[in-house]
Amino acid sequence: MKKIFLLPFVILFTTILFAQEDIDDLPLEDVVESKIEQPLPTATWESSYKEALNKSKKEKNLF
């Protein structure tokens, strides 16, 4: 009975173990990220809550 109970766990563990790909086996194009055409946006922080609230009201970015 213990063998029947443990068998699904062994099968699951082995499939998870062998499902991982080694990065050395992949072509270089798949490993290297594609070029980003536009720069990523950066976060700008206000020094106080009141300043941030006023800026949000001016830009109409209320949530």
Side-chain angles (χ1 to χ4, degrees), residues 12-44:
L12 180 66
F13 178 73
T14 56
T15 55
I16 291 173
L17 184 67
F18 288 108
Q20 303 299 319
E21 289 186 73
D22 189 11
I23 198 166
D24 295 333
D25 296 338
L26 296 174
L28 185 60
E29 293 81 22
D30 293 342
V31 177
V32 177
E33 295 181 20
S34 62
K35 292 181 181 178
I36 300 173
E37 295 176 7
Q38 298 177 355
L40 296 175
T42 57
T44 56

Side-chain angles (χ1 to χ4, degrees), residues 44 46 50-60:
T44 56
E46 300 298 324
K50 288 182 182 180
E51 289 179 18
L53 189 60
N54 290 334
K55 183 178 178 181
S56 178
K57 286 179 182 177
K58 287 179 186 175
E59 296 176 0
K60 295 184 172 79

